[in-house]
Structure formats: structure tokens, C-alpha cells
Amino acid sequence: MQERDTNNGLTPEDLGEAAESLFKNLCARACLNCIKSDRDRSGWDFIVDFPMSDERAPETLDQRQKITCHVQLKATATLGSGSVSLKLSAADLLAKDSHPALIVIFRLKKDGEPLKGYIVHLLDEPLHKLLRRLRLAEAQGRRDTQKLKISFDYRRHGKPFELTPVGLRAALAEACGPDPAAYALEKVRQLNELGYEDGQFEGQAVFQVRDEEHFSRVLLGLEPIRPLQVETFDVRFGIAVPYKGQLFNTIEEIFLAPPATTECTVVVKGPPLRPAASFEAQLVVPPPVDGRLRMLIQHADFEFTFRETEHQIEASCSFEPRKGPLGELVAMLRALDYLASKQANIAVFGKNGAWGPLQLPVSTDLTGPNREDLPRLAGFAADWQTLLDYAGVRSSAPIGWDDLWNDQAHLASDLMLSAAPVARFEFDADVLPADGQPIQAIYFNSASVAGEAILYAVEITLAPRPNEPTVYRSVSFRPIEARADTMELDDYMDDLAKRLKPTVMIHPDNVQRVSPEQMDRLTPTDNVPFENDSRPGV
């Protein structure tokens, strides 16, 4: 028999056999169960099991778990490059298993003498590299991964260990970790998420633009695209491939999400010496795809849109009432009232004054419900807040527009805060201590909005009607007080009478409400006083 010439070192096949023998020997001496596998079908050379914990371990029998890893073994006697390669198909099979996937590299001398060991763990950066390489092959139409290679620099991606039983066992244990279940969860997460940090799907949609207004609303994300044709792509590691799932099969409309969004403060001012309204909102600026500027200011209650045309910047505002704190409702109604009356000035500032002010056009189209009632609602909401402040009542209830249509609360606002109240009172002289001279009376009542109530009292001066001395009519009003509603009306009447000692007390149960037209036609009878409010709808 001819002896093999070893002067030039072992052949690659012999070097591989030496590495396998060394690996099995080290595993046996380290008390690890090493099972040779079929690399062509499984992707790994060895399955390595750690022994189950013995009776001295802290885990109970039902909680013990076997730690298993899959190993692809590589041997090299090459100096300098620090790189090993394997078939892409083998690396794919190796990495996709839920067990720890390890490439173990033995650096040997040319004659097979052990030098150093390295472990490349297919997790984190190495797994990232493998998945990216697979995605690139998919994008290139190369599904014959058994003909493709992938290489790893074990000096960069690997951890060195001594080629001893203790060194090998410690290196494998560190890679596998103590908790197989936690390891499997983390590996599944990385397999599903690596490369998708910037999102997963991209699409191309063909849609029809009706007009310039429609195009602007689509770009601002206010109106959906109803596509005529849609192509979708799965994008991983920045590499797009056609999406093959069923997720988008039934898509009918798409909303665009403009990328440039920032927090801002919007200040709406009205005529001079009138209070402004301030809001925290979002400023959206989509890309100027056609070279024209567009902006959107979004708030929970309203939206301002601005778009540049050939000659100017056009603006519009839409609003939708909702329940909210009284202070927010007052500010919103005030701003809408200014806008509806074409007397508004708008300024926009960045958060904490980071930029601005940006002065915006105010000749806006205003769309929304109850536009004709805005002045009245805005005035009453502010008045009601003032009455609560006078009474020492802190508003906390969510209040909507419907809550503001309250006759008793409007009457309280008119009598207590109006310089010239529109309400009038009339009485038959027979029910009064009348002697032809003016009489001082006190009217008291309660009022509430959204469950938040006050008591109030007003001094009324009553005087005979001109040319009709048997009828006394209110000629002036002087607010007395507003207070929290903490007692019954009759008890409040007794308290007022004791403190103020008026000539006449007007109890609300003895007052009949009539319309302005009826007031002038009626004559007081049956000792019933009359009150009237000429505001529409009350």
C-alpha cells in the first residue's frame, strides 16, 4: 500500500475529518451528547445536547428543559482572511430552526494540530446578514440557493474559545443561554422583524384626480385614494419584492399620511380689544409634488387647509362640534365666530416658540353646523363661564353645543351680565304695594348647563307703564350675586329676604314666560307676573 504524502499538510477532506473527530472527542470529554447529522438535508453537521439538570439543580422535574443547539462545523488552515463560507441553502436551513444555530470554526495547522476555535452565532448581526442575503437572492430571482454561497468573517462575527473540553462547553453554553423558551421567542422575533425597521409594505396606486381641490385633499390625508390599480411590495433591508399575500386583495381606498408633521400653537384673533383663542394642534406639510405649497392644521374640533394657487393662497376651515371642557368650548366658539364674521387674524407658532409666527390668510370658507348661531353661542359660552367664576364653581363636566341651548341659563346670562337686558317683567299693580312710585324687587332663580348649576339674584326696579298706571314694568336691573347651587330655591328666598329685606320677592314659580309679541298684547291678570326674552328660540 502506498503511503499518503503529508509533507504539504492534510488535504481539505482530511482536514475536515480531523476537525469532526476533534469536535466529537471534545464533546464527549465535555459530557455533551453529539449526534452526527446529514448536512445536505438538515443544514447542520451536528446536534449537540446538554445533559438535563441533576437532582441538585434548583429546577423541579416538571420545569427542566433540555438545551439543544445545531452546529455547522468548519475547519480552516488558511491564515489572513478569517473568512469561512457555506452554501446559502445550508445557512438558510440552519438559521430558520428555533434552536440556537452555530457555525463552529476550528483553526488547525496544516497537519491537523488544533490552534483556536471560534463560534459564529446566527443571531443579531450574523442573522441580519443571512436574511439580507436571502432577500437579495429573491429579488434577483435566484431561488437555487444550493448553488449560492455566503461567507462570515469569524474574527468579526465570531467569539474565540480554547480547543479544550472546558473551552468548547463554555462557548456553546454562552451562545445557547439558560432559557430555551426565551431564546426561541427572541429568535422568532428576529426572524420576523429584522430588516423591517422602516416598515414592511410599499405600494403603487393609479387613481384619477377630479380637480385641484381633490388633489390637495388627497395629499393632505383628508380624502382617500380610490385606486384603479394597485401594486404592493414587501420591503426588507430596503430591498423590495412583489407582495404575494392576500392582505391587500380587497382594498378599496387608501389614505396618505404626509411625512412632515409637527406640533404647533394656533392663535385666532378677532377685532381689537377682543380676547384671542389659542389651540395646540398639528401642522402637516406634504411634499410639494407639483411645486405648490399645501398645509393642514389639525385639531380635534377643526381643520384649516391652505393651498397655493397661481395667484394666491386659498384657505378653508371645517369644524365638527364635540363635547369637551367648558374652557375649550369657549375658545373654539370664539375662534369660529371670528372666522365666520371675516374678522379673524391667524398666527401659527412652533412648539415652545421654536419657529414663527407664521401669518396665514383669513378670508376662509367656513363649513360646519349651526354657522348662523355662532355669535350667540360664543357669547353665551363665555358668559356662562363668567357666571361659574362669579359663583366659585369649577367647571369639569364635558359640555357640547346642545347643552348651550338652555332657556334658564340664557336668562341668567342676560339678567346678570347684559348692560341692557332684553328680558322684561310686568305685574298688575294690585299684587304689588303700589303707590304710583317705582318699587325695588328681587328676582332669584337657579340655572344649570350639563349638570353644573348656580343660584343667582337680581334687583329689579319696577315702575308704572306710561299711560297705564295699573301695570308695573321693569325699567332697570342690578345684579346682586351668583353662588353655587347648594340649597333649595325656597331656602334661598328666605336667605335673601333675611339679608336684604326687599319690598318684593319674585319667585320663579310665579312667573309665566311669553314671547315678545305676546308681551305687548297681554294685560296682566290673575295676579300673574310676566317675563319675556326677545332672543330667537327662547
Side-chain angles (χ1 to χ4, degrees):
M1 172 181 279
Q2 184 177 1
E3 294 185 1
R4 181 178 296 175
D5 182 7
T6 60
N7 291 333
N8 295 320
L10 301 179
T11 64
E13 292 78 10
D14 290 338
L15 200 65
E17 289 183 10
E20 287 192 4
S21 297
L22 177 59
F23 183 77
K24 290 187 284 187
N25 179 271
L26 292 176
C27 285
R29 293 164 61 194
C31 298
L32 298 174
N33 184 25
C34 174
I35 304 171
K36 185 73 170 70
S37 181
D38 183 347
R39 78 176 68 186
D40 292 330
R41 306 180 72 178
S42 64
W44 51 83
D45 294 329
F46 294 96
I47 300 174
V48 178
D49 293 332
F50 284 73
M52 297 282 278
S53 303
D54 60 23
E55 66 276 3
R56 294 169 297 176
E59 298 88 353
T60 61
L61 290 175
D62 60 301
Q63 294 174 333
R64 292 190 302 171
Q65 300 182 65
K66 184 176 70 170
I67 297 177
T68 298
C69 61
H70 293 166
V71 173
Q72 174 76 257
L73 183 64
K74 289 292 180 178
T76 179
T78 303
L79 297 176
S81 69
S83 178
V84 293
S85 63
L86 61 159
K87 289 181 180 179
L88 186 58
S89 58
D92 185 12
L93 291 170
L94 179 66
K96 297 295 179 59
D97 192 88
S98 61
H99 291 93
L102 312 173
I103 303 174
V104 175
I105 300 99
F106 283 177
R107 278 199 60 221
L108 309 175
K109 292 182 179 180
K110 291 185 178 181
D111 61 359
E113 185 71 21
L115 291 175
K116 196 76 173 178
Y118 294 85
I119 285 184
V120 175
H121 188 183
L122 292 183
L123 201 70
D124 299 319
E125 186 178 352
L127 183 57
H128 183 285
K129 177 177 181 176
L130 171 60
L131 295 176
R132 189 183 187 285
R133 181 69 180 85
L134 289 168
R135 171 51 62 104
L136 183 60
E138 176 71 22
Q140 294 171 342
R142 295 294 305 271
R143 303 186 68 86
D144 54 342
T145 54
Q146 73 280 2
K147 297 180 180 179
L148 302 176
K149 297 274 190 176
I150 185 171
S151 62
F152 294 94
D153 186 336
Y154 56 81
R155 291 176 180 171
R156 174 187 170 189
H157 296 120
K159 289 189 176 181
F161 65 91
E162 297 299 324
L163 286 179
T164 65
V166 172
L168 177 62
R169 183 181 178 112
L172 294 178
E174 181 183 359
C176 295
D179 189 340
Y183 180 95
L185 288 174
E186 173 59 18
K187 185 166 188 179
V188 170
R189 186 196 69 79
Q190 291 196 22
L191 286 170
N192 290 331
E193 297 180 9
L194 286 178
Y196 287 124
E197 292 78 10
D198 296 326
Q200 180 173 359
F201 298 110
E202 287 184 0
Q204 297 178 352
V206 177
F207 70 102
Q208 187 173 8
V209 177
R210 297 192 302 270
D211 51 34
E212 173 66 22
E213 174 68 18
H214 175 226
F215 187 51
S216 294
R217 291 183 60 81
V218 166
L219 291 179
L220 291 169
L222 297 176
E223 190 169 330
I225 294 172
R226 292 179 175 84
L228 306 175
Q229 179 183 342
V230 177
E231 286 185 281
T232 53
F233 302 90
D234 183 302
V235 182
R236 194 172 195 180
F237 306 106
I239 304 171
V241 298
Y243 174 67
K244 300 177 181 178
Q246 306 297 316
L247 185 61
F248 302 105
N249 284 5
T250 59
I251 190 168
E252 295 183 356
E253 58 183 33
I254 303 169
F255 277 93
L256 298 184
T261 302
T262 184
E263 295 181 359
C264 66
T265 299
V266 181
V267 178
V268 182
K269 293 184 178 181
L273 301 181
R274 292 285 301 277
S278 179
F279 308 91
E280 300 303 314
Q282 294 287 324
L283 177 64
V284 180
V285 183
V289 294
D290 56 357
R292 294 184 178 179
L293 176 67
R294 295 172 178 84
M295 290 190 303
L296 167 67
I297 296 176
Q298 283 186 316
H299 182 269
D301 297 307
F302 59 78
E303 290 177 343
F304 285 106
T305 58
F306 303 88
R307 64 186 181 95
E308 183 182 9
T309 65
E310 293 182 3
H311 306 290
Q312 63 182 347
I313 293 181
E314 296 180 353
S316 63
C317 175
S318 62
F319 62 95
E320 186 64 35
R322 69 177 177 96
K323 285 184 177 290
L326 179 59
E328 293 183 8
L329 185 61
V330 169
M332 185 188 71
L333 287 169
R334 181 180 296 150
L336 294 176
D337 182 26
Y338 295 160
L339 290 165
S341 63
K342 306 291 186 180
Q343 301 182 70
N345 295 294
I346 303 175
V348 182
F349 300 81
K351 186 176 181 181
N352 299 323
W355 48 266
L358 176 64
Q359 302 292 339
L360 297 174
V362 295
S363 57
T364 62
D365 294 325
L366 187 64
T367 60
N370 307 110
R371 284 187 54 192
E372 65 282 358
D373 297 313
L374 286 173
R376 182 181 174 194
L377 290 176
F380 171 70
D383 285 351
W384 182 248
Q385 187 175 51
T386 299
L387 287 176
L388 292 183
D389 290 341
Y390 286 171
V393 175
R394 173 181 288 184
S395 176
S396 59
I399 298 177
W401 287 31
D402 291 342
D403 296 316
L404 301 180
W405 299 106
N406 183 302
D407 290 356
Q408 291 290 354
H410 278 268
L411 177 61
S413 168
D414 181 44
L415 294 177
M416 293 289 291
L417 301 176
S418 296
V422 295
R424 303 200 311 268
F425 289 76
E426 289 190 0
F427 297 89
D428 192 320
D430 291 342
V431 302
L432 300 172
D435 58 3
Q437 298 300 313
I439 297 172
Q440 304 301 318
I442 291 180
Y443 176 74
F444 61 95
N445 207 340
S446 65
S448 68
V449 172
E452 295 176 335
I454 63 168
L455 296 169
Y456 69 96
V458 183
E459 183 183 73
I460 303 176
T461 299
L462 302 170
R465 266 186 183 182
N467 304 321
E468 194 174 358
T470 60
V471 177
Y472 272 66
R473 169 177 288 184
S474 58
V475 294
S476 66
F477 300 86
R478 183 179 67 85
I480 296 175
E481 68 175 10
R483 59 191 291 179
D485 187 0
T486 57
M487 61 177 71
E488 297 295 330
L489 268 179
D490 289 343
D491 295 333
Y492 183 45
M493 178 181 67
D494 293 340
D495 177 71
L496 287 169
K498 184 182 297 184
R499 287 188 288 121
L500 303 177
K501 297 179 175 54
T503 303
V504 175
M505 296 290 294
I506 304 175
H507 195 292
D509 289 350
N510 297 325
V511 176
Q512 175 184 335
R513 297 176 62 85
V514 298
S515 69
E517 295 78 14
Q518 289 176 299
M519 176 67 88
D520 293 329
R521 294 197 303 266
L522 290 173
T523 299
T525 58
D526 301 325
N527 298 331
V528 178
F530 292 79
E531 94 183 56
N532 168 55
D533 190 330
S534 64
R535 290 171 296 184
V538 177

